[in-house]
Amino acid sequence: MTPISLTRALLGSAAISLAALSPALAQTEITFFYPVQVGGPLTEVVDGYVAEFEAQNPDITVEAIYSGSYTDTTTRALTAARSGTPPTVAVMLATDIFTLIDAGVIAPLDDHITTPEDQAWLDGFMPAYLASARLDGHVWGAPFQRSTAVMYYNKEAYAAAGLDPETPPATWDEMVEHGRALTVRDASGTVTQWGLGIPGSSNAAHWLFGALVAQNGGQLSSEDGLHTFFDSPEVVGALEYWVSLGAEHGIHPPGVLEWGTTPSDFMEGRLAMAWTTTGNLGNIRANAPFDFGVAAYPGNPDPASVLGGGNLYLFADASDEEKAAAFRFIKHMTSDELLADWGIQTGYVAPRDGSWDTQALQDYVAEVPQADVARRQIAVSVPEISTYEGHRVNEVLNAAIQAALTGQQSPADALTAAQAEAERILAVYRD
C-alpha cells in the first residue's frame, strides 16, 4: 500500500470511528461539480480527495457530481443556479470568470479570507495563475486544475531524422526546419509521419492560437474583457504562420487537426511533434512506445505559451453555512500537498510554489524531468483569451481560425470579420 493510500485508509477508519461515537453530529451537505465524464481514473482520484476531506471534517459531506466537459459543467452549473438549485462549489474554466460574474452566480472568496492562515493560503498561489481569479478588487476563485500548453516530441524520430533529440526548436524558423526533416513520405508520396501537429478544433483552437499570438508579440483580448484585437498585425501574422505550416511548408496535416485525437496521433507515430496540454503528460508517459521529450514553445523570436485550466468557484446562492463548508473544501483541494499529488496523478501544473517544494513532487520531477518544463515555462506564459460572452466570442474566433486552416478565407479576411463580430457582441458591456 502506498503512503497516500495508507493515509486515506487511516483517515477513513478515523471518520468511521468518529461517526460511531457522534451519531448526532450535525451535517452540512455541499455539492461539487467536477468537469470529467463519469468513471475512470480521474474520478477515482477526486473521490479519494473527497474522502480525505470528509474524514478530516466529519460534520461536512460532499456530493461529487461528474459533469462532463468544461462547457457541459458551466452550462449545467448556470442552469442549476438559475433554477434555484446551484452547486455549492464547482471547477470551471478560469476564462469563465466574466460570464459567471455577469450572471451573478458566484461569490467572491474575500469574505472567507479572515485569518493570517487564510491569507497565507491565498498568497501561496503563483501570481500568474491567481491573476485569472482576481477582478475588480475581489478574488473570485482558487486555481486548481491548471495547465500550460507544451510541445511533445518523439526523440526516436528526431534521431532517425538526423536531429539532436535533446535540442527541440527554439524559434518558428527552427520549428519549420525540424518539421521538414521529420516529415516522412512513403514511395507513393503519401505522408506517413507529419513533422508537427497543432490542434485547431473548436475546443482548442483559440487556446493554442493564443500561444502563437503571444510568440508573435500580440494579444487576443484586453484584461478587462471588453475588447478583442483579432485584426491586429500580430494576430493576423500568427494565423498566417499556422496556415503556412501545411500550405507552404508541408509539415502539418491539412485542414483542422482534432484536439481529442492529437495525443493518439503522436503516440502512434503520425505526428513527430505535437502541441497539447501538460494535462496529457500522464497519458503519453504511460502509453507512448518510444522515448519522448517535452519542450517549451518556440518564439518569434521570444518564446511564449498560454495558461489554461480551471478554478474552484463558490456559488452565491448557497447558504452561509454551505459557503463556509465549501471554503474549507476549497482550501483542502488546493493545499500544497494535494496539488502536488494532483500534478503527479494527472500532469496538470501545481499552481502553488509550495507544492513544488514537497518531497513528493521533487521526487517525481527527478524521475520525470518532463514534468518540470511547464513550471519553468510559466514565466513566459500569458493568460488565455477571456472576455464577457466568452463562449460566443471564442466561437467566433475558432470559426475564423478554421476558415483559414481549411482555405475558405485568408487569415486577414477571416480575422477582420471575426473582430467586427466580437466587438459587436462586446459593445453592450462597454455602455
Side-chain angles (χ1 to χ4, degrees), residues 11 129 164 169 196 286 350 355 393 411:
L11 287 170
Y129 285 118
D164 181 357
L196 170 67
S355 296
V393 171

Side-chain angles (χ1 to χ4, degrees), residues 117-428:
E117 179 192 36
D118 295 336
Q119 190 61 50
W121 164 79
L122 182 66
D123 292 342
F125 289 106
M126 294 178 179
Y129 285 118
L130 191 59
S132 67
R134 291 188 186 272
L135 191 67
D136 297 333
H138 295 288
V139 178
W140 295 92
F144 171 64
Q145 182 166 287
R146 303 310 307 265
S147 62
T148 67
V150 293
M151 188 178 80
Y152 297 83
Y153 67 100
N154 184 330
K155 288 189 174 183
E156 294 179 13
Y158 255 66
L163 299 170
D164 181 357
E166 304 305 323
T167 310
T171 66
W172 282 7
D173 287 345
E174 286 184 0
M175 191 160 65
V176 169
E177 179 184 342
H178 290 198
R180 285 175 175 159
L182 291 163
T183 299
V184 178
R185 291 175 169 81
D186 63 18
S188 67
T190 300
V191 174
T192 57
Q193 174 181 278
W194 293 98
L196 170 67
I198 302 176
S201 54
S202 58
N203 58 341
H206 64 277
W207 189 47
L208 296 182
F209 185 52
L212 283 165
V213 169
Q215 292 159 18
N216 204 36
Q219 63 185 96
L220 289 171
S221 61
S222 59
E223 292 183 0
D224 60 10
L226 295 173
H227 296 277
T228 56
F229 312 113
F230 298 163
D231 59 351
S232 70
E234 295 82 5
V235 176
V236 173
L239 188 52
E240 288 174 340
Y241 175 75
W242 192 351
V243 170
S244 78
L245 296 174
E248 178 183 347
H249 303 297
I251 65 172
H252 189 285
V256 175
L257 184 65
E258 290 296 322
W259 171 263
T261 62
T262 296
S264 59
D265 287 338
F266 175 69
M267 290 185 288
E268 293 169 14
R270 289 186 290 273
L271 300 172
M273 297 184 288
W275 284 28
T276 186
T277 173
T278 56
N280 277 322
L281 176 58
N283 176 31
I284 292 174
R285 181 170 174 248
N287 296 299
F290 49 78
D291 188 18
F292 71 92
V294 177
Y297 279 165
N300 189 42
D302 295 326
S305 187
V306 62
L307 304 174
N311 293 335
L312 283 153
Y313 295 97
L314 185 62
F315 275 71
D317 287 342
S319 69
D320 290 344
E321 183 181 37
E322 290 167 343
K323 287 177 185 173
F327 182 66
R328 285 159 65 183
F329 180 66
I330 287 171
K331 288 181 66 178
H332 167 78
M333 294 294 285
T334 56
S335 68
D336 289 345
E337 293 76 16
L338 188 145
L339 285 175
D341 185 64
W342 184 240
I344 293 167
Q345 299 279 356
T346 65
Y348 283 103
V349 180
R352 298 180 65 86
D353 288 319
S355 296
W356 294 89
D357 293 333
T358 63
Q359 191 63 52
L361 198 46
Q362 289 183 355
D363 290 346
Y364 178 68
V365 168
E367 179 186 354
V368 188
Q370 300 100 318
D372 199 42
V373 173
R375 181 185 65 83
R376 291 187 278 107
Q377 190 177 236
I378 289 170
V380 293
S381 295
V382 300
E384 186 177 355
I385 178 176
S386 181
T387 67
Y388 288 94
E389 298 280 359
H391 290 289
R392 292 178 64 194
V393 171
N394 287 348
E395 286 177 358
V396 169
L397 177 57
N398 289 338
I401 292 169
Q402 290 167 10
L405 290 173
T406 56
Q408 298 174 50
Q409 287 183 286
S410 70
D413 288 346
L415 289 170
T416 297
Q419 174 66 14
E421 178 61 13
E423 288 294 289
R424 185 192 68 77
I425 292 170
L426 295 173
V428 64

